[in-house]
Amino acid sequence: MREMIGWPGGCGDGIFSPGGAISNLYAMLIARFKMFPEVKEKGMSAIPRLVAFTSEQSHFSVKKGAAALGIGTDSVILIRCDERGKMIPSDLERRIVEAKQKGYVPFFVSATAGTTVYGAFDPLVAISDVCRKFNIWMHVDVSILPLIHNNPQ
């Protein structure tokens, strides 16, 4: 698969996933490990209170993943969306600043390309700029259904 993607010499790593919900869990797991590799041996009590961010239109699996990983559903902060269901990057930035002021550690942002209800695509470039500014892992939950529906060829 790595060679098919075109990575030089087949370098890289990856995992196959049976679906979107587990993919979101994997993404959160990887983001947590990237920021705090010691969690593998020492557990959640060895790291600060983490917070994740996702839009109010995101898939339920983001909160389920936080519960499964011991981060807790209360640590998933929902970001406002515009009238078309797209995450508002300025609200994301505001909520990140608020979380940091409370002493929490923002570690993960889940953007969406094809929300469940609207089929909306979050403004990924603007969200990535915010994530880069605060050194936060950005994940994009992609649904192919809106792509197929909107582009039937």
Side-chain angles (χ1 to χ4, degrees):
M1 290 300 294
R2 293 186 302 259
E3 289 174 6
M4 288 174 61
I5 293 169
W7 289 348
C11 295
D13 200 355
I15 53 176
F16 282 99
S17 173
I22 196 75
S23 295
N24 290 334
L25 174 78
Y26 288 161
M28 196 174 286
L29 175 71
I30 293 165
R32 182 183 69 180
F33 182 77
K34 173 84 172 153
M35 188 173 277
F36 294 102
E38 64 272 19
V39 75
K40 183 176 179 181
E41 290 84 23
K42 299 185 184 337
M44 289 295 292
S45 63
I47 63 175
R49 167 104 184 259
L50 302 179
V51 289
F53 304 85
T54 194
S55 84
E56 58 193 10
Q57 296 295 323
S58 69
H59 196 264
F60 70 89
S61 61
V62 176
K63 281 195 169 205
K64 290 237 182 210
L69 293 175
I71 294 162
T73 59
D74 286 348
S75 293
V76 177
I77 298 171
L78 300 180
I79 306 304
R80 289 185 308 128
C81 293
D82 66 16
E83 66 282 348
R84 301 186 97 177
K86 298 177 182 185
M87 185 190 297
I88 301 171
S90 60
D91 190 51
L92 172 63
E93 185 164 358
R94 179 182 68 80
R95 301 298 301 271
I96 290 170
V97 169
E98 286 176 0
K100 290 173 74 72
Q101 288 171 344
K102 292 177 181 176
Y104 304 149
V105 177
F107 83 107
F108 181 80
V109 171
S110 181
T112 308
T115 61
T116 307
V117 176
Y118 292 108
F121 282 64
D122 289 334
L124 302 178
V125 173
I127 292 169
S128 71
D129 290 342
V130 173
C131 291
R132 186 173 291 114
K133 179 178 179 177
F134 292 99
N135 195 29
I136 299 172
W137 184 282
M138 179 182 168
H139 167 67
V140 181
D141 180 13
V142 179
S143 170
I144 63 166
L145 293 178
L147 298 174
I148 293 168
H149 177 71
N150 293 328
N151 194 7
Q153 298 86 334

